[in-house]
């Protein structure tokens, strides 16, 4: 079965998974903490949900402020080796103290990783980051040179991102994946690009569609048609069956009959359930993909752990999303209104993956 149809066996499996997810929500054990350490960026990508700039007008969060929260409000309540801290931006490599931040986090027992566009990643910087404890890295590579540089709006972006991929591939101790924003123009090239990644030694590849926030909101050149969206999912499903590279669709939304066939598990939104973020201005939220105002507190006036334990109601009880197109949808039990990043400030759903199918 594919698209909108669900077979009986898959529906029964989804029922079981929904119950397990409800238990996960009740426990809300923190296992991933994003630190949005900067909104500065060395690129001006067409699809940026954060609308980052070289000078965004928002100062970087001082490292000392983040470490204070970690020491006083997180570490007493968790087992550090089991909580992954991810540095995100903006572009994290614009911070000159990134290695210091990594060393301090590692000294406290936390594994840490980063998301990067690769533009500023030299071999020397990569070596220093690894010495500072860098455990995992995601590199954005959005297709071949033409497609990638169009999105990133920099003629050197593709070559630098590819070199970052090659550095990571050569380091067998690093957990690493390539993340690709798939546009309509990229869909016909997915097979060839997959073969390039395999030839470069990439083992893990995440694909996602661009959602209408930030600069992408009004840029039709970045969108896929519904037919192209389905074609991408069919491609991922076939690629997974081949087994030459671990390809998966990101945790974007519920995919009907494609569930458990384009990802390792059924759809779930972990934001506010097992994933939290500290934003550059101190706001406490779910994952950093969420650009709407679902902030639950701020580290400069609230205790992070108290917020994590006692707030986050919009993330953990999604009944508020049962409205509009979701009001009478038979899939709501499995979807819960889709990813939190697909809702605007007013809570309205920006688009529905299941409806597209």
């Amino acid at each position: 079965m594919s698209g909108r149809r669900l077979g009986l066996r898959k529906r029964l499996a989804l029922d079981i998974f929904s119950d397990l997810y409800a238990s996960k929500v009740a426990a809300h054990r923190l296992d991933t903490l994003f630190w949005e350490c900067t909104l500065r960026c060395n690129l001006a990508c067409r699809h940026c949900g954060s609308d980052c700039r070289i000078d965004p007008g928002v100062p970087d969060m001082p490292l000392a402020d983040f470490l204070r929260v970690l020491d006083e409000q997180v570490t007493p309540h968790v087992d550090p080796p089991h909580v992954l801290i991810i540095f995100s931006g903006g572009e994290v490599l614009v911070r000159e103290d990134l290695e210091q931040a990594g060393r301090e986090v590692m000294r406290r027992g936390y594994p840490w990783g980063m998301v990067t566009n690769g533009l500023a990643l030299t071999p020397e910087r990569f070596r220093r980051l690894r010495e500072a404890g860098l455990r995992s890295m995601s590199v954005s590579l959005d297709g071949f040179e033409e497609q990638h540089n169009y999105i990133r709006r920099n003629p050197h972006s593709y070559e630098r991102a590819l070199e970052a991929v090659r550095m990571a591939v050569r380091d067998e101790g690093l957990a690493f994946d390539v993340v690709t924003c798939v546009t309509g123009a990229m869909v016909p090239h997915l097979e060839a690009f997959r073969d390039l990644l395999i030839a470069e030694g990439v083992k893990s590849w995440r694909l996602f569609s661009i959602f209408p926030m930030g600069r992408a909101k009004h840029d039709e050149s970045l969108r896929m048609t519904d037919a192209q969206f389905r074609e991408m999912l069919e491609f991922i499903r076939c690629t997974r069956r081949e087994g030459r590279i671990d390809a998966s669709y990101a945790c974007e939304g519920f995919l009907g009959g494609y569930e458990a066939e384009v990802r390792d598990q059924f759809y779930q939104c972990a934001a506010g359930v097992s994933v939290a973020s500290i934003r550059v201005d101190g706001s406490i939220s779910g994952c950093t993909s969420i650009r709407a105002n679902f902030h639950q507190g701020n580290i400069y006036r609230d205790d992070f752990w108290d917020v994590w334990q006692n707030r986050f109601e919009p993330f953990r009880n999604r009944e508020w999303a049962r409205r509009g197109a979701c009001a009478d949808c038979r899939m709501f039990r499995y979807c819960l209104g889709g990813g939190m990043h697909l809702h605007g400030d007013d809570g309205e759903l920006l688009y529905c993956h299941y409806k597209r199918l």
Side-chain angles (χ1 to χ4, degrees), residues 2-74:
S2 65
R4 293 181 61 86
R5 295 187 298 166
L6 284 172
L8 177 60
R9 291 177 61 185
K10 186 166 288 186
R11 191 180 291 270
L12 290 173
L14 277 165
D15 288 338
I16 294 171
F17 186 81
S18 295
D19 292 338
L20 293 173
Y21 179 69
S23 298
K24 185 176 181 179
V25 171
H28 56 266
R29 188 185 75 181
L30 182 67
D31 61 27
T32 304
L33 176 61
F34 283 88
W35 178 36
E36 186 181 60
C37 60
T38 184
L39 280 183
R40 291 183 293 140
C41 192
N42 49 15
L43 292 175
C45 304
R46 296 177 186 273
H47 71 299
C48 183
S50 306
D51 200 19
C52 299
R53 300 176 176 87
I54 292 175
D55 180 10
V58 180
D60 296 353
M61 178 182 288
L63 173 59
D65 293 1
F66 176 69
L67 294 177
R68 174 186 61 82
V69 174
L70 205 60
D71 289 340
E72 299 175 5
Q73 301 169 20
V74 179

Side-chain angles (χ1 to χ4, degrees), residues 17 49 59 63 71 77 92 103 125 160 191 214 219 271 326 336 339:
F17 186 81
L63 173 59
D71 289 340
H77 305 284
V92 296
R103 285 192 297 270
R125 189 89 195 267
R160 299 307 300 271
E191 289 189 9
D219 192 338
C326 298
L336 300 177

